Structure formats: C-alpha cells, structure tokens
Amino acid sequence: MDGFFSGETDTWTMLTIVAMACVSVLSRSLFFISQKDWALPQWAQRGLQYAPIAAIAAVIVPEVVMVQGALIHTVLDARLFAAAAGVAYFFWRKGAGQVVLGTIVVGMAVYLPLHVGLGW
C-alpha cells in the first residue's frame, strides 16, 4: 500500500470527507455538550410529528405516479389501483389493529393480479 491516499481518492476529497464528518458530529453533539436543557418551541414539536409521514410520502408518491422520471400516461396502471385500494382500506380500518399490514396486503392483492395477470 502506497499510503493512506491511494487510487482515485485525492487529498481534497479526503479533506472534504473529514470536514463534513466533523461538522456532522459537532452539530449533532451540541445537545449533549450543553449544560442546560433544550426545549423546542411548540410549533417545531408539532411539525416534527408529521416528519415520518412526509418522508414516506416523498418516497412512495413518485414511485406510484412516475415511470423512469416521467409521469405515467395512462390510468391503466396497476400501481394506481393498488394505492387507491390500500388508502381505502387504511381509512376504512383506521384505529383497528394491524391496519398497516392490512394496507400492504390489500395493496399487493390488487397490484399483483393487475400487473402479472393483465400486464398493466
């Protein structure tokens, strides 16, 4: 081995990685280093409650309505019907146990026959 910096990794790349790691560790550890308690404002706490659903929507919605970076051109797409069935089941069974598992099962039960059977 010719040293730590070998191959295509140059000095600037390594310095950038180290600097980004330092900034990340420092910014995340400020809450632990401080001696006083930190309290988020009420509006921030309320906003953070919606972060998981917003992240899931940001991942799932493009997969349902797009193909290779472009919007789908037909309503005969199995993903649309599966998503609609899953959403309908979720709101129908809201508050019941295992609603997330049921949503997945219903969505796949609609998706697979349409996609595999009809080729949508």
Coordinates of all heavy atoms in Angstrom, one line a residue, residues 45-119:
Q45 N -42.2 21.2 17.6 CA -42.6 19.9 18.1 C -43.8 19.3 17.3 O -43.8 18.2 16.9 CB -42.9 19.9 19.6 CG -41.7 20.1 20.4 CD -42.1 20.2 21.9 OE1 -43.2 19.9 22.3 NE2 -41.1 20.4 22.7
R46 N -44.7 20.2 17.0 CA -45.9 19.8 16.3 C -45.5 19.5 14.8 O -46.0 18.5 14.2 CB -47.0 20.9 16.3 CG -48.2 20.5 15.6 CD -49.4 21.5 16.0 NE -50.6 21.0 15.4 CZ -51.2 21.6 14.4 NH1 -50.8 22.7 13.9 NH2 -52.4 21.1 13.9
G47 N -44.6 20.2 14.2 CA -44.2 20.0 12.9 C -43.4 18.7 12.8 O -43.5 18.0 11.8
L48 N -42.6 18.3 13.8 CA -41.8 17.1 13.7 C -42.7 15.9 13.8 O -42.3 14.8 13.4 CB -40.8 17.1 14.9 CG -39.6 18.0 14.6 CD1 -38.7 18.0 15.9 CD2 -38.8 17.6 13.4
Q49 N -43.9 16.0 14.3 CA -44.9 14.9 14.4 C -45.2 14.4 12.9 O -45.5 13.2 12.7 CB -46.1 15.2 15.1 CG -45.9 15.4 16.6 CD -47.2 15.9 17.3 OE1 -48.2 16.3 16.6 NE2 -47.2 15.9 18.6
Y50 N -45.2 15.3 12.0 CA -45.5 15.0 10.6 C -44.3 14.6 9.7 O -44.5 14.2 8.6 CB -46.3 16.2 9.9 CG -47.5 16.5 10.7 CD1 -47.6 17.6 11.5 CD2 -48.7 15.7 10.5 CE1 -48.8 17.9 12.2 CE2 -49.9 16.0 11.1 CZ -49.9 17.1 12.0 OH -51.1 17.3 12.6
A51 N -43.1 14.6 10.3 CA -41.9 14.3 9.5 C -41.9 12.8 9.0 O -41.6 12.6 7.8 CB -40.7 14.5 10.3
P52 N -42.3 11.8 9.8 CA -42.3 10.5 9.2 C -43.3 10.3 8.0 O -42.9 9.7 7.0 CB -42.7 9.6 10.4 CG -42.3 10.4 11.6 CD -42.6 11.8 11.2
I53 N -44.5 10.8 8.1 CA -45.4 10.6 7.0 C -45.0 11.4 5.8 O -45.2 11.0 4.7 CB -46.9 11.0 7.5 CG1 -47.9 10.5 6.4 CG2 -47.0 12.4 7.7 CD1 -48.0 9.0 6.3
A54 N -44.4 12.6 6.0 CA -43.9 13.4 4.9 C -42.7 12.6 4.2 O -42.7 12.6 3.0 CB -43.4 14.7 5.4
A55 N -41.9 12.0 4.9 CA -40.8 11.2 4.3 C -41.3 10.0 3.6 O -40.8 9.8 2.5 CB -39.8 10.8 5.4
I56 N -42.3 9.3 4.1 CA -42.8 8.2 3.4 C -43.5 8.6 2.1 O -43.4 8.0 1.1 CB -43.8 7.4 4.3 CG1 -43.0 6.7 5.4 CG2 -44.6 6.4 3.6 CD1 -43.9 6.1 6.5
A57 N -44.3 9.7 2.2 CA -44.9 10.2 1.0 C -43.9 10.7 0.0 O -44.2 10.4 -1.2 CB -45.9 11.4 1.4
A58 N -42.8 11.3 0.4 CA -41.8 11.7 -0.6 C -41.2 10.5 -1.3 O -40.7 10.7 -2.4 CB -40.7 12.5 0.1
V59 N -41.2 9.4 -0.7 CA -40.6 8.2 -1.3 C -41.6 7.4 -2.1 O -41.3 7.0 -3.3 CB -40.0 7.2 -0.2 CG1 -39.6 5.9 -0.8 CG2 -38.8 7.9 0.4
I60 N -42.8 7.3 -1.6 CA -43.8 6.4 -2.3 C -44.5 7.1 -3.4 O -44.7 6.5 -4.5 CB -44.8 6.0 -1.2 CG1 -44.2 5.0 -0.3 CG2 -46.0 5.3 -1.9 CD1 -45.0 4.5 0.9
V61 N -44.9 8.4 -3.3 CA -45.7 9.0 -4.3 C -45.0 9.0 -5.7 O -45.6 8.7 -6.7 CB -46.1 10.4 -3.9 CG1 -46.8 11.2 -5.0 CG2 -47.1 10.4 -2.7
P62 N -43.7 9.4 -5.8 CA -43.1 9.4 -7.1 C -43.1 7.9 -7.7 O -43.2 7.8 -8.9 CB -41.7 9.8 -6.8 CG -41.8 10.7 -5.6 CD -42.8 10.0 -4.8
E63 N -42.9 6.9 -6.9 CA -43.0 5.5 -7.4 C -44.3 5.1 -7.9 O -44.4 4.3 -8.8 CB -42.6 4.6 -6.3 CG -41.1 4.6 -6.0 CD -40.2 4.1 -7.1 OE1 -40.7 3.2 -7.8 OE2 -39.2 4.7 -7.4
V64 N -45.4 5.8 -7.4 CA -46.7 5.4 -7.9 C -47.1 6.2 -9.1 O -47.7 5.6 -10.0 CB -47.8 5.7 -6.8 CG1 -49.2 5.5 -7.3 CG2 -47.5 4.8 -5.6
V65 N -46.7 7.4 -9.3 CA -47.2 8.2 -10.4 C -46.2 8.5 -11.5 O -46.5 9.1 -12.5 CB -47.7 9.6 -9.9 CG1 -48.9 9.4 -8.9 CG2 -46.6 10.4 -9.2
M66 N -45.0 7.9 -11.4 CA -43.9 8.1 -12.4 C -43.3 6.8 -12.9 O -43.2 5.8 -12.1 CB -42.8 9.0 -11.8 CG -43.3 10.4 -11.4 SD -42.0 11.4 -10.7 CE -41.3 12.0 -12.2
V67 N -42.9 6.8 -14.1 CA -42.1 5.7 -14.7 C -40.9 6.3 -15.4 O -41.0 7.2 -16.2 CB -43.0 5.0 -15.8 CG1 -42.1 3.9 -16.5 CG2 -44.2 4.4 -15.1
Q68 N -39.7 5.9 -14.9 CA -38.4 6.4 -15.4 C -38.3 7.9 -15.5 O -37.9 8.5 -16.5 CB -38.1 5.8 -16.8 CG -38.0 4.3 -16.7 CD -37.7 3.7 -18.1 OE1 -37.8 4.4 -19.1 NE2 -37.4 2.4 -18.1
G69 N -38.8 8.6 -14.4 CA -38.7 10.0 -14.3 C -39.8 10.8 -15.0 O -39.7 12.1 -15.0
A70 N -40.7 10.2 -15.6 CA -41.8 10.9 -16.3 C -43.2 10.4 -15.7 O -43.3 9.3 -15.3 CB -41.8 10.6 -17.8
L71 N -44.1 11.3 -15.7 CA -45.4 11.0 -15.2 C -46.1 9.9 -16.1 O -45.8 9.8 -17.3 CB -46.4 12.2 -15.2 CG -46.1 13.2 -14.2 CD1 -47.0 14.5 -14.4 CD2 -46.3 12.7 -12.8
I72 N -46.8 9.0 -15.5 CA -47.5 7.9 -16.3 C -48.5 8.6 -17.2 O -49.1 9.6 -17.0 CB -48.2 6.9 -15.3 CG1 -49.2 7.6 -14.4 CG2 -47.1 6.2 -14.5 CD1 -50.0 6.6 -13.6
H73 N -48.7 7.9 -18.3 CA -49.6 8.4 -19.4 C -50.9 7.8 -19.5 O -51.7 8.1 -20.3 CB -48.9 8.3 -20.8 CG -47.6 9.0 -20.8 ND1 -47.5 10.4 -20.7 CD2 -46.3 8.6 -21.0 CE1 -46.2 10.8 -20.8 NE2 -45.5 9.7 -21.0
T74 N -51.2 6.8 -18.6 CA -52.4 6.0 -18.7 C -52.9 5.8 -17.3 O -52.2 5.7 -16.3 CB -52.3 4.7 -19.4 OG1 -53.5 4.0 -19.5 CG2 -51.2 3.8 -18.8
V75 N -54.2 5.7 -17.2 CA -54.8 5.3 -15.9 C -54.8 3.8 -15.7 O -55.1 3.3 -14.6 CB -56.2 5.9 -15.7 CG1 -56.2 7.4 -15.6 CG2 -57.2 5.4 -16.8
L76 N -54.5 3.0 -16.7 CA -54.4 1.6 -16.6 C -53.1 1.2 -16.1 O -52.3 0.5 -16.8 CB -54.7 0.9 -18.0 CG -56.1 1.2 -18.5 CD1 -56.3 0.5 -19.9 CD2 -57.2 0.7 -17.5
D77 N -52.8 1.6 -14.9 CA -51.5 1.3 -14.2 C -51.9 0.6 -12.9 O -52.6 1.1 -12.1 CB -50.7 2.5 -14.0 CG -49.3 2.2 -13.6 OD1 -49.1 1.3 -12.7 OD2 -48.3 2.8 -14.1
A78 N -51.3 -0.6 -12.7 CA -51.7 -1.4 -11.5 C -51.3 -0.6 -10.2 O -52.0 -0.8 -9.2 CB -51.0 -2.7 -11.6
R79 N -50.3 0.2 -10.3 CA -49.9 0.9 -9.0 C -50.9 1.9 -8.6 O -51.1 2.1 -7.4 CB -48.5 1.6 -9.3 CG -47.4 0.6 -9.5 CD -46.2 1.3 -10.0 NE -46.4 2.1 -11.2 CZ -45.6 2.9 -11.7 NH1 -44.4 3.2 -11.1 NH2 -45.9 3.5 -12.8
L80 N -51.6 2.5 -9.5 CA -52.7 3.5 -9.1 C -53.8 2.8 -8.4 O -54.3 3.2 -7.4 CB -53.2 4.2 -10.4 CG -52.2 5.2 -11.1 CD1 -52.8 5.7 -12.3 CD2 -51.8 6.3 -10.1
F81 N -54.3 1.7 -9.0 CA -55.3 0.9 -8.3 C -54.9 0.3 -7.0 O -55.7 0.3 -6.1 CB -55.8 -0.2 -9.3 CG -56.6 0.4 -10.5 CD1 -55.9 0.6 -11.7 CD2 -57.9 0.7 -10.4 CE1 -56.6 1.1 -12.8 CE2 -58.6 1.2 -11.5 CZ -58.0 1.4 -12.7
A82 N -53.7 -0.2 -6.9 CA -53.2 -0.7 -5.7 C -53.1 0.3 -4.6 O -53.5 0.1 -3.4 CB -51.9 -1.4 -5.9
A83 N -52.6 1.5 -5.0 CA -52.5 2.6 -4.0 C -53.9 3.1 -3.5 O -54.1 3.3 -2.3 CB -51.7 3.8 -4.6
A84 N -54.8 3.1 -4.5 CA -56.2 3.5 -4.1 C -56.8 2.5 -3.2 O -57.5 2.9 -2.2 CB -57.0 3.7 -5.4
A85 N -56.6 1.2 -3.5 CA -57.2 0.2 -2.6 C -56.6 0.2 -1.2 O -57.2 0.1 -0.2 CB -57.0 -1.2 -3.2
G86 N -55.3 0.4 -1.2 CA -54.6 0.5 0.1 C -55.0 1.7 0.9 O -55.3 1.6 2.2
V87 N -55.2 2.8 0.3 CA -55.7 4.0 1.0 C -57.1 3.8 1.5 O -57.4 4.2 2.7 CB -55.5 5.3 0.1 CG1 -56.3 6.5 0.7 CG2 -54.1 5.6 -0.1
A88 N -57.9 3.2 0.7 CA -59.3 3.0 1.1 C -59.4 2.0 2.3 O -60.1 2.3 3.2 CB -60.1 2.4 -0.1
Y89 N -58.6 1.0 2.2 CA -58.5 0.0 3.4 C -58.0 0.7 4.6 O -58.6 0.5 5.7 CB -57.6 -1.2 3.0 CG -57.5 -2.1 4.2 CD1 -58.5 -3.1 4.4 CD2 -56.5 -2.1 5.1 CE1 -58.4 -4.0 5.4 CE2 -56.4 -3.0 6.1 CZ -57.4 -3.9 6.3 OH -57.3 -4.8 7.4
F90 N -57.0 1.5 4.5 CA -56.5 2.2 5.7 C -57.5 3.1 6.3 O -57.7 3.1 7.6 CB -55.3 3.1 5.3 CG -54.7 3.8 6.4 CD1 -53.8 3.2 7.3 CD2 -55.0 5.2 6.6 CE1 -53.3 3.9 8.4 CE2 -54.5 5.9 7.7 CZ -53.6 5.2 8.6
F91 N -58.2 3.9 5.6 CA -59.2 4.7 6.2 C -60.5 4.0 6.6 O -61.1 4.4 7.6 CB -59.6 5.9 5.2 CG -58.6 6.9 5.1 CD1 -57.8 7.1 4.0 CD2 -58.3 7.7 6.2 CE1 -56.8 8.1 3.9 CE2 -57.3 8.7 6.2 CZ -56.6 8.9 5.0
W92 N -60.8 2.8 6.0 CA -61.9 2.0 6.4 C -61.6 1.4 7.8 O -62.5 1.3 8.7 CB -62.2 0.9 5.4 CG -63.3 0.0 5.8 CD1 -64.6 0.3 6.1 CD2 -63.1 -1.4 5.9 NE1 -65.2 -0.9 6.4 CE2 -64.4 -1.9 6.3 CE3 -62.1 -2.3 5.6 CZ2 -64.6 -3.3 6.4 CZ3 -62.3 -3.7 5.8 CH2 -63.6 -4.1 6.2
R93 N -60.4 0.9 8.0 CA -60.0 0.2 9.2 C -59.2 1.1 10.2 O -58.6 0.5 11.1 CB -59.1 -1.0 8.8 CG -59.8 -2.1 8.0 CD -60.9 -2.8 8.7 NE -60.3 -3.5 9.8 CZ -60.9 -4.2 10.7 NH1 -62.2 -4.2 10.7 NH2 -60.3 -4.9 11.6
K94 N -59.2 2.3 10.0 CA -58.5 3.3 10.8 C -58.8 3.0 12.3 O -60.0 3.0 12.7 CB -58.8 4.7 10.4 CG -57.8 5.7 11.0 CD -58.1 7.1 10.5 CE -57.1 8.1 11.0 NZ -57.3 9.4 10.5
G95 N -57.8 2.9 13.1 CA -58.0 2.7 14.5 C -58.0 1.2 14.9 O -57.9 0.9 16.1
A96 N -58.1 0.3 13.9 CA -58.1 -1.1 14.2 C -56.7 -1.6 14.3 O -55.7 -1.0 13.7 CB -58.9 -1.9 13.2
G97 N -56.4 -2.8 14.9 CA -55.1 -3.3 15.0 C -54.6 -3.8 13.6 O -55.4 -4.2 12.8
Q98 N -53.3 -3.8 13.4 CA -52.7 -4.3 12.2 C -53.2 -3.6 10.9 O -53.2 -4.2 9.9 CB -52.9 -5.8 12.1 CG -52.3 -6.6 13.2 CD -50.8 -6.4 13.3 OE1 -50.1 -6.3 12.4 NE2 -50.3 -6.4 14.6
V99 N -53.5 -2.3 11.0 CA -54.0 -1.6 9.8 C -52.9 -1.4 8.8 O -53.2 -1.5 7.6 CB -54.7 -0.3 10.2 CG1 -53.7 0.7 10.7 CG2 -55.5 0.3 9.1
V100 N -51.7 -1.3 9.2 CA -50.6 -1.1 8.2 C -50.3 -2.4 7.5 O -50.2 -2.3 6.2 CB -49.3 -0.6 8.9 CG1 -48.1 -0.5 8.0 CG2 -49.5 0.8 9.6
L101 N -50.3 -3.5 8.2 CA -50.1 -4.8 7.5 C -51.3 -5.0 6.5 O -51.1 -5.5 5.4 CB -50.0 -5.9 8.5 CG -49.9 -7.3 8.0 CD1 -48.6 -7.4 7.1 CD2 -49.9 -8.3 9.1
G102 N -52.5 -4.7 7.0 CA -53.6 -4.9 6.1 C -53.6 -4.0 4.9 O -54.0 -4.5 3.8
T103 N -53.1 -2.8 5.0 CA -53.0 -1.9 3.9 C -52.0 -2.5 2.9 O -52.3 -2.4 1.7 CB -52.5 -0.5 4.4 OG1 -53.4 0.0 5.3 CG2 -52.3 0.4 3.3
I104 N -50.9 -3.0 3.3 CA -49.9 -3.6 2.4 C -50.5 -4.8 1.7 O -50.3 -5.0 0.5 CB -48.6 -4.0 3.2 CG1 -47.9 -2.7 3.7 CG2 -47.7 -4.8 2.3 CD1 -46.8 -2.9 4.7
V105 N -51.2 -5.7 2.5 CA -51.7 -6.9 1.9 C -52.8 -6.6 0.9 O -52.8 -7.1 -0.2 CB -52.3 -7.8 3.0 CG1 -53.2 -8.9 2.4 CG2 -51.2 -8.4 3.9
V106 N -53.7 -5.6 1.2 CA -54.7 -5.2 0.2 C -54.1 -4.6 -1.0 O -54.5 -4.9 -2.1 CB -55.8 -4.3 0.9 CG1 -56.6 -3.6 -0.1 CG2 -56.6 -5.0 1.9
G107 N -53.1 -3.7 -0.8 CA -52.5 -3.1 -2.0 C -51.8 -4.2 -2.9 O -52.0 -4.1 -4.1
M108 N -51.1 -5.1 -2.3 CA -50.5 -6.2 -3.1 C -51.5 -7.1 -3.7 O -51.3 -7.6 -4.8 CB -49.5 -6.9 -2.2 CG -48.3 -6.1 -1.9 SD -47.4 -5.4 -3.3 CE -46.8 -6.8 -4.1
A109 N -52.6 -7.3 -3.0 CA -53.7 -8.2 -3.6 C -54.3 -7.6 -4.8 O -54.8 -8.3 -5.7 CB -54.7 -8.5 -2.5
V110 N -54.3 -6.3 -4.9 CA -54.8 -5.6 -6.1 C -53.7 -5.5 -7.1 O -54.0 -5.7 -8.3 CB -55.4 -4.2 -5.7 CG1 -55.7 -3.4 -6.9 CG2 -56.6 -4.4 -4.8
Y111 N -52.5 -5.2 -6.7 CA -51.4 -4.9 -7.6 C -51.0 -6.2 -8.4 O -50.9 -6.2 -9.6 CB -50.2 -4.4 -6.9 CG -49.0 -4.2 -7.7 CD1 -48.9 -3.1 -8.6 CD2 -47.9 -5.1 -7.7 CE1 -47.8 -3.0 -9.4 CE2 -46.8 -5.0 -8.5 CZ -46.7 -3.9 -9.3 OH -45.6 -3.7 -10.1
L112 N -50.8 -7.3 -7.7 CA -50.3 -8.5 -8.4 C -51.2 -9.0 -9.5 O -50.6 -9.3 -10.6 CB -50.0 -9.6 -7.3 CG -48.7 -9.3 -6.5 CD1 -48.5 -10.3 -5.4 CD2 -47.5 -9.2 -7.4
P113 N -52.5 -9.2 -9.3 CA -53.3 -9.7 -10.4 C -53.3 -8.7 -11.6 O -53.3 -9.2 -12.8 CB -54.7 -9.8 -9.8 CG -54.5 -9.9 -8.4 CD -53.2 -9.1 -8.1
L114 N -53.3 -7.4 -11.3 CA -53.3 -6.5 -12.4 C -52.0 -6.4 -13.2 O -52.0 -6.3 -14.4 CB -53.7 -5.1 -11.9 CG -55.1 -4.9 -11.4 CD1 -55.3 -3.5 -10.8 CD2 -56.1 -5.2 -12.4
H115 N -50.9 -6.5 -12.4 CA -49.6 -6.3 -13.0 C -49.2 -7.7 -13.7 O -48.8 -7.6 -14.9 CB -48.6 -5.9 -12.0 CG -47.2 -5.7 -12.6 ND1 -46.9 -4.6 -13.4 CD2 -46.1 -6.4 -12.4 CE1 -45.7 -4.7 -13.7 NE2 -45.1 -5.8 -13.2
V116 N -49.3 -8.7 -13.0 CA -48.9 -10.0 -13.5 C -49.9 -10.6 -14.5 O -49.6 -11.1 -15.6 CB -48.5 -11.0 -12.4 CG1 -48.2 -12.4 -12.9 CG2 -47.4 -10.5 -11.5
G117 N -51.2 -10.6 -14.0 CA -52.2 -11.2 -14.8 C -52.6 -10.4 -16.1 O -52.7 -11.0 -17.2
L118 N -52.8 -9.1 -16.0 CA -53.2 -8.3 -17.1 C -52.0 -7.5 -17.8 O -52.2 -6.9 -18.8 CB -54.2 -7.3 -16.7 CG -55.6 -7.9 -16.2 CD1 -56.5 -6.8 -15.7 CD2 -56.2 -8.7 -17.2
G119 N -50.9 -7.5 -17.1 CA -49.7 -6.9 -17.7 C -49.7 -5.4 -17.6 O -49.1 -4.7 -18.4

